[in-house]
Amino acid sequence: MNKSDFKGVLPAITTKMTADQEVDFAGVRADVAFQIEAGVDGIIVCGSLGEASSLVATEKLAIAKAAIEEAAGRVPVLLTIAEDSTRAGAALAAEAEKIGVKGLMVLPAMRYLADDREVVAHYRAIAAASSLPIIVYNNPLAYGIDISEAMLKEMADEPKFVAIKESTGDTRRINETIKALGDRYQLLTGVDDLALESLILGCQGWIAGLVVAFPKETVAIYKLVQQGRIPEALEIYRWFLPLLHLDIGAKFVHNIKFAEHIVRGTSPVMRAPRLELVGAEAAHIRAVVEEGLKNRPDLAKYGF
């Protein structure tokens, strides 16, 4: 993969679990097939939505391998590096390359609020561990570390850093990054309910969450924007927004897995300490999803 490949819709799929909280590899394969059939451009496994914090490295590699086998070369599979230490992240990156992963989405080291110098050193160490292209995942709202414009300039001399997952929640950052760095990095929107705005402002890809339940609608919005059909994209997006809001907040994994369960009948099981939604929380998600299904747009109207 190179920079030009980081375009389109890249689902960050959930990690299916059995009733006893073990990875359901048949479920992983089914998800990959479902997304590819809907027209996505790549698959990202073991991200935040994929419960990376609850998986061990051997599980992550096994999940990636299952996804690669199911994809069978039709789309690239990327693995998320979200480890607690630089050493662990570099080791996982090296092993990922050996099994055929085509790219990495890399977060700062977890559980420690590193300073700028440490964050840059971490990213450079991950880059040195393999020849794979890297998406720099910037989500200061969730992880407390902001990869600033100055840091991105400093990192620009490493060609393996090809893209940025822009999840700051501030669309001004898109214009500021493009103004400061031109086309050095491919920009990918990582906040579902800012996706349309971000695509219009210059993001060339969408690392999506609710795509796990609604891939065709996600792909349709992306393609309509690329075709300059903004009013039509906006029609679908406005229908989608109450669902896209489920991607925001501490329980976004709970929300999206439950939404996916309602729409597709997939397992809502998460690995502890996460517990399935109950009571008012579950009722709210169900109401949002059922309202969305009731008013689901006819994509044939838009040529899809």
Side-chain angles (χ1 to χ4, degrees):
M1 297 182 73
N2 55 45
K3 187 170 72 170
S4 64
D5 294 315
F6 288 95
K7 293 182 179 180
V9 174
L10 304 172
I13 63 172
T14 58
T15 299
K16 296 297 176 293
M17 298 283 179
T18 64
D20 57 354
Q21 299 182 19
E22 295 298 327
V23 176
D24 176 4
F25 290 99
V28 171
R29 291 175 180 272
D31 283 350
V32 172
F34 178 68
Q35 294 296 325
I36 292 174
E37 289 164 8
V40 304
D41 300 284
I43 300 289
I44 300 176
V45 297
C46 304
S48 304
L49 182 56
E51 298 179 71
S53 62
S54 302
L55 299 168
V56 299
T58 53
E59 290 177 314
K60 294 176 183 181
L61 291 168
I63 290 165
K65 187 174 181 181
I68 290 165
E69 290 172 354
E70 186 63 39
R74 291 175 289 173
V75 300
V77 172
L78 292 81
L79 176 65
T80 306
I81 305 294
E83 311 314 299
D84 288 341
S85 73
T86 300
R87 178 176 292 189
L92 184 57
E95 291 301 314
E97 183 170 20
K98 293 177 185 176
I99 66 170
V101 166
K102 296 300 183 184
L104 304 172
M105 183 168 73
V106 180
L107 285 78
M110 298 291 98
R111 298 203 299 177
Y112 169 61
L113 292 180
D115 67 22
D116 293 0
R117 182 172 62 95
E118 291 170 324
V119 171
V120 172
H122 173 78
Y123 272 95
R124 289 194 185 280
I126 302 297
S130 83
S131 64
L132 296 175
I134 290 172
I135 299 171
V136 176
Y137 184 174
N138 191 24
N139 189 341
L141 297 177
Y143 299 113
I145 293 173
D146 187 4
I147 302 171
S148 67
E149 178 185 307
M151 294 163 73
L152 292 171
K153 285 181 177 179
E154 182 180 350
M155 295 163 64
D157 64 347
E158 171 52 73
K160 294 172 194 170
F161 299 137
V162 299
I164 302 164
K165 181 181 178 184
E166 166 49 53
S167 296
T168 63
D170 181 357
T171 54
R172 290 172 292 191
R173 292 289 287 270
I174 297 168
N175 287 330
E176 290 165 357
T177 301
I178 292 171
K179 182 177 179 181
L181 290 151
D183 63 356
R184 168 59 186 85
Y185 298 99
Q186 203 94 22
L187 293 184
L188 313 172
T189 180
V191 181
D192 268 2
D193 61 2
L194 289 176
L196 179 63
E197 299 92 321
S198 300
L199 291 169
I200 291 171
L201 287 172
C203 286
Q204 294 174 295
W206 180 358
I207 297 179
L210 268 297
V211 67
V212 300
F214 297 96
K216 291 183 179 179
E217 289 82 358
T218 307
V219 170
I221 290 169
Y222 178 81
K223 288 186 174 180
L224 288 169
V225 172
Q226 299 311 302
Q227 295 167 14
R229 297 162 63 185
I230 306 302
E232 293 166 283
L234 189 55
E235 289 178 0
I236 303 172
Y237 187 63
R238 284 180 172 157
W239 158 80
F240 211 178
L241 268 174
L243 292 155
L244 297 179
H245 291 328
L246 302 181
D247 185 44
I248 309 304
K251 290 194 174 180
F252 75 102
V253 176
H254 307 64
N255 297 344
I256 293 176
K257 263 200 167 178
F258 190 45
E260 193 179 19
H261 167 71
I262 296 167
V263 175
R264 297 177 52 206
T266 55
S267 170
V269 175
M270 296 165 289
R271 184 169 284 178
R274 291 184 176 94
L275 298 175
E276 292 179 48
L277 296 176
V278 296
E281 288 181 317
H284 169 68
I285 303 305
R286 185 175 291 279
V288 170
V289 174
E290 289 180 350
E291 180 70 13
L293 289 172
K294 183 174 70 175
N295 298 304
R296 197 170 190 173
D298 178 7
L299 296 181
K301 169 185 173 183
Y302 306 95
F304 297 102

